[in-house]
Amino acid sequence: MSFFVNKYIISLISLVLSFVTVSASADTLSTIKEKSSVTIGVANEVPYGYTTSDGKPAGEAPSIAVHVLHELGVKNIKVVVTEFGALIPGLRAGRFDLIAAGMYVTPKRCRQVLFSNPTYSIGEGFIVKNGNPEKLNGYADVKEKSVKLGVMSGAVEYGYARDFGIAMNKIVTLPDYPSGVAALKAGRIDALAGTSLTMATLANKDSHVELAQPFDDLIIKGKSVKGYGAFGFRPGDETLRDAFNQQLASFIGSKEHLALVKPYGFGKYTLPGDVTTAALCQ
């Protein structure tokens, strides 16, 4: 008798939890619509997601988020700025309602958050001291030489370097890209890794560093590495994610979209094509 009672209780609890999850999913979208207010999380990374001097959202992801959320009837967009590595924990803890930081979709992250379909695709790059004194034009050069490579905490470049076979003692983890530029200029690292777009933006802002050119395409296990950026949502927020995807489907690649992201260096060459998050999460 006890076995059957326990089994019944467990089934009942499971049913209740399922209902709560579905309700939470519906409530997030309805709540932000009712309040016409939402909070987005960014990592202060130009040109993907950051805030202007007066605290307004800027960058590829926040600009698209503002457009989509306005289309959904949400007008008040608040911004929380945090380190990149704290975005997923912050989302799951409820500090903000979605991640608008151009975060790459990876299988590991897919197990922690829900992703929209991607809004861009882009490859990798380094910035180095002017003149590129160590001649670092790709991950192979770092692997072969006695140098240090800087990567941002929580970013995919750490995994890229590890999977490429670069020794762990050559990889220096930094909290954000400004810290990386400072470390590069101080000689604590010999190159800073990131997307080619981010690296080009950083190089244009500091006369002491430059984009490593030419740059060898990163190939890992026979496959070219390209990152696909998307918006992140809490598990259980499928309704909000789906509403977001519906808006993105008709917006990404449109003239309005391309004009919106052009100031941040994005364009037709960064469109994600037919790649879906479902495929990227596998």
Side-chain angles (χ1 to χ4, degrees), residues 35-47:
K35 294 182 177 180
S36 192
S37 180
V38 67
T39 303
I40 63 175
V42 305
N44 218 25
E45 181 186 359
V46 178

Side-chain angles (χ1 to χ4, degrees), residues 116-172:
S116 69
N117 279 323
T119 61
Y120 75 88
S121 173
I122 204 161
E124 292 296 298
F126 290 167
I127 56 170
V128 292
K129 285 184 178 180
N130 286 343
N132 196 0
E134 298 293 340
K135 307 303 178 189
L136 302 176
N137 296 96
Y139 281 73
D141 294 327
V142 176
K143 183 178 180 179
E144 295 168 2
K145 299 180 179 182
S146 297
V147 293
K148 298 283 188 180
L149 178 67
V151 299
M152 186 170 64
S153 175
V156 295
E157 283 75 25
Y158 180 89
Y160 288 165
R162 178 198 60 208
D163 293 344
F164 195 80
I166 293 174
M168 292 294 99
N169 62 4
K170 290 185 177 183
I171 304 172
V172 178

